């Protein structure tokens, strides 16, 4: 890593702005000198040509002006007349710059034909040199001053612009996993830094919400696991303190029942972890109608009436195990709350596949329809515990469906109970016909 790479944004920005300004000023200064010199030279050349034209018409008797020297020559090149200041012949041809012996400045040579004679005029370039020198001095002094001012202003502007970033950095440095309620300061100016601060605050809010949900989840899971453990411990303590108090085999049945509850709870917790983990899972084409019919046959064995006449061909893209768990959780929930009948349907729509599971139970109050998808929520606490419900089944359904790009809605069924509608994006492959059942 070079020194430039390690330098701060202020140093890099200031150095770059000074460098660009220096190049621009240098080019501008050189162009100014060249153009000024060319303009003055053109003016002197024009004046020399005019003087030569005048001399061809009327030769001055005396010429004391050192700015314009002249000579008149015949066809053989002999000097006929000349300025008193000249002791040597001027160059015969036109020239941009020549040095005349005895004179201090360089001259511009212009020639003009006047019949049998040739007029040669030498114009002094002293004005060009003096004007150029007059420009060079302020440029040599002014350019460094301008660069210093540009560098200072750039440094101050960048420092002021980055001040909110530094405040944000200091605040973020103090935010820990236990202080996710803190927020970074948002600048008043509606610029990129303000949008960055708003985005970071939204991120912190999401992290804080996730941390709170995780804490609630851990607390609820601990509470749920404590219940069967307490039951096992209580039964074991009674059996140890009063050996004849429990009928034979009741302790083993209590341990088996409560350990079964614990096993189901742990399995559902692990499934939730996999659902929210975001890892790469094997995706395949799954016939949703096959899963629905299999669960319908299973629920019928419990004595309930299951209407599967609405199951049609429907294929989705997803993870087989997760989708199987979705259908099972929905049918188990319907069977738990149904009086006599459970309905299962699979419909293929233009935009995907729809799974519908409904029952003729008491339904879900409208104000509780979003809450039932939260973890460890039971609307009927006592009956849910007695029947093995952990309050995780519908949460698993929603998280799995959302992970597959689908949606879940809860409404009133025409049977009188709850109606769960799951919409999945459909697979573009041809769906197999449902088996009979």
């Amino acid at each position: 890593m070079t020194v430039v790479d390690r330098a701060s944004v202020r140093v890099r920005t200031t150095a770059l702005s000074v460098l660009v300004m220096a190049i621009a000023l240098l080019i501008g200064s050189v162009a100014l000198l060249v153009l000024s010199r060319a303009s003055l030279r053109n003016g002197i050349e024009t004046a020399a040509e005019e003087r030569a034209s005048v001399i061809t018409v009327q030769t001055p008797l005396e010429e004391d002006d050192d700015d314009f020297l002249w000579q008149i020559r015949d066809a053989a090149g002999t000097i006929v007349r000349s300025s008193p200041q000249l002791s040597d012949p001027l160059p015969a041809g036109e020239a941009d710059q020549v040095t005349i012996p005895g004179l201090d400045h360089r001259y511009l040579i212009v020639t003009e034909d006047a019949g049998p004679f040739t007029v040669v005029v030498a114009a002094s370039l002293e004005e060009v040199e003096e004007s150029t020198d007059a420009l060079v001095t302020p440029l040599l002094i002014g350019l460094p001053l301008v660069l210093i001012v540009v560098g200072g202003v750039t440094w101050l502007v960048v420092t002021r612009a980055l001040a909110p970033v530094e405040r944000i950095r200091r605040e973020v440095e103090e935010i820990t996993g236990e202080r996710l309620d803190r927020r970074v300061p948002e600048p008043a100016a509606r610029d990129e830094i303000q949008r960055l601060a708003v985005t970071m605050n939204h991120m912190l809010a999401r992290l804080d919400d996730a941390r709170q949900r995780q804490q609630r989840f851990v607390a609820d899971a601990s509470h749920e696991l404590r219940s069967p453990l307490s039951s096992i411990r209580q039964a074991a303590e009674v059996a140890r303190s009063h050996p004849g108090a429990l009928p034979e085999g009741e302790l083993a049945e209590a341990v088996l029942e409560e350990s079964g509850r614990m096993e189901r709870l742990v399995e559902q917790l692990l499934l939730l972890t996999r659902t929210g983990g975001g890892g790469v899972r094997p995706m395949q084409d799954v016939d949703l109608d096959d899963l629905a019919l299999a669960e319908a046959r299973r629920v019928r064995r419990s004595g309930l009436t299951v209407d599967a006449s609405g199951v049609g061909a429907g294929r989705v893209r997803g993870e087989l195990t997760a989708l199987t768990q979705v259908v099972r959780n929905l049918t188990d929930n319907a069977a738990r709350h149904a009086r006599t009948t459970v309905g299962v349907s699979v419909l293929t729509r233009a935009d995907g596949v729809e799974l519908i599971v409904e029952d003729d139970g008491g339904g879900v109050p409208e104000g509780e329809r979003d809450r039932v998808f939260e973890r460890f929520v039971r609307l009927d606490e006592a009956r849910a515990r007695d029947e093995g419900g952990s309050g995780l089944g519908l949460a698993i359904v929603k998280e799995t469906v959302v992970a597959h790009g689908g949606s879940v809605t809860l409404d009133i069924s025409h049977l009188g109970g709850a109606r769960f509608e799951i919409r999945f994006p459909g697979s573009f492959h041809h769906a197999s016909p449902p088996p009979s059942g």
Side-chain angles (χ1 to χ4, degrees):
M1 182 178 292
T2 64
V3 176
V4 175
D5 294 331
R6 293 194 299 267
S8 65
V9 174
R10 284 184 298 181
V11 173
R12 293 199 302 269
T13 304
T14 303
L16 182 60
S17 63
V18 170
L19 177 61
V20 172
M21 182 61 69
I23 295 174
L25 290 177
L26 182 61
I27 295 175
S29 299
V30 172
L32 176 62
L33 291 174
V34 171
L35 293 176
S36 298
R37 190 178 183 88
S39 177
L40 291 172
R41 181 191 172 284
N42 290 336
I44 291 175
E45 184 178 3
T46 301
E49 291 174 350
E50 292 177 354
R51 177 62 61 92
S53 298
V54 171
I55 293 174
T56 58
V57 177
Q58 182 181 3
T59 302
L61 298 178
E62 296 289 340
E63 189 61 52
D64 298 326
D65 189 0
D66 289 342
D67 291 338
F68 293 97
L69 305 178
W70 55 273
Q71 286 181 344
I72 300 176
R73 301 174 185 174
D74 58 16
T78 304
I79 298 175
V80 178
R81 296 191 62 177
S82 175
S83 294
Q85 297 92 332
L86 292 177
S87 57
D88 296 322
L90 293 172
E94 294 188 358
D96 290 339
Q97 295 182 7
V98 297
T99 301
I100 298 176
L103 299 178
D104 297 333
H105 306 291
R106 288 177 293 183
Y107 286 79
L108 175 72
I109 303 300
V110 175
T111 60
E112 182 78 17
D113 291 333
F117 300 101
T118 300
V119 178
V120 181
V121 177
S124 174
L125 295 175
E126 180 181 6
E127 182 180 354
V128 176
E129 296 172 356
E130 290 178 350
S131 298
T132 302
D133 294 340
L135 282 175
V136 169
T137 301
L139 288 176
L140 291 177
I141 298 175
L143 289 183
L145 292 177
V146 171
L147 293 178
I148 292 173
V149 172
V150 169
V153 172
T154 303
W155 180 274
L156 293 176
V157 170
V158 174
T159 300
R160 184 171 181 179
L162 294 179
V165 177
E166 179 61 22
R167 290 195 292 269
I168 292 173
R169 187 198 65 80
R170 288 197 299 265
E171 184 67 25
V172 170
E173 191 174 24
E174 297 178 3
I175 295 176
T176 63
E178 302 300 324
R179 297 298 308 275
L180 291 175
D181 58 321
R182 299 182 63 166
R183 297 293 180 267
V184 300
E186 297 181 5
R190 296 186 176 276
D191 53 11
E192 292 81 357
I193 298 178
Q194 191 264 351
R195 293 197 294 272
L196 171 64
V198 170
T199 302
M200 292 189 67
N201 282 334
H202 289 167
M203 178 193 68
L204 289 172
R206 292 193 298 270
L207 291 175
D208 188 27
D209 181 65
R211 180 180 64 88
Q212 293 178 5
R213 285 190 287 107
Q214 183 183 31
Q215 290 177 342
R216 290 194 301 268
F217 176 75
V218 171
D220 292 339
S222 300
H223 175 74
E224 294 293 330
L225 290 172
R226 189 186 302 118
S227 177
L229 286 174
S230 298
S231 299
I232 293 173
R233 182 182 181 87
Q234 182 180 9
E237 289 177 348
V238 170
R240 185 182 63 178
S241 302
H242 308 281
L246 293 177
E248 184 178 357
E250 185 170 338
L251 175 60
E253 291 180 2
V255 172
L256 287 174
E257 180 181 354
E258 296 302 329
S259 62
R261 287 180 57 189
M262 290 179 59
E263 182 180 7
R264 290 192 296 273
L265 178 60
V266 171
E267 287 178 352
Q268 290 180 329
L269 290 174
L270 290 175
L271 181 58
L272 274 176
T273 302
R274 292 197 302 270
T275 301
V280 179
R281 303 179 182 88
M283 305 292 283
Q284 62 187 81
D285 288 337
V286 177
D287 290 323
L288 200 60
D289 50 297
D290 292 345
L291 303 182
L293 291 174
E295 291 302 314
R297 288 192 294 267
R298 183 181 63 85
V299 173
R300 283 195 188 103
R301 291 195 291 267
S302 66
L304 291 172
T305 300
V306 180
D307 181 8
S309 61
V311 176
R315 178 171 290 182
V316 298
R317 186 76 177 172
E319 184 187 11
L320 177 60
T321 303
L323 294 178
T324 301
Q325 189 68 43
V326 167
V327 180
R328 172 156 296 190
N329 286 1
L330 287 175
T331 53
D332 283 347
N333 179 77
R336 187 179 298 120
H337 296 91
R339 295 187 178 92
T340 60
T341 305
V342 172
V344 181
S345 302
V346 175
L347 306 174
T348 300
R349 307 291 189 185
D351 56 348
V353 178
E354 185 177 48
L355 169 67
I356 301 173
V357 179
E358 50 193 340
D359 60 73
D360 61 349
V364 179
E366 185 174 357
E368 303 288 344
R369 291 176 185 172
D370 291 331
R371 185 167 166 265
V372 296
F373 294 104
E374 298 177 5
R375 299 175 180 183
F376 298 107
V377 169
R378 300 184 185 89
L379 300 185
D380 188 350
E381 186 76 14
R383 189 176 72 165
R385 286 188 183 275
D386 293 341
E387 298 179 0
S390 64
L392 292 175
L394 295 181
I396 292 174
V397 168
K398 183 171 183 179
E399 294 193 20
T400 303
V401 170
V402 171
H404 282 74
S407 62
V408 184
T409 57
L410 174 57
D411 207 339
I412 300 176
S413 169
H414 70 280
L415 299 176
R419 175 186 174 93
F420 290 87
E421 297 182 1
I422 314 296
R423 294 180 181 270
F424 290 105
S427 171
F428 294 102
H429 299 285
H430 177 69
S432 61
S436 59

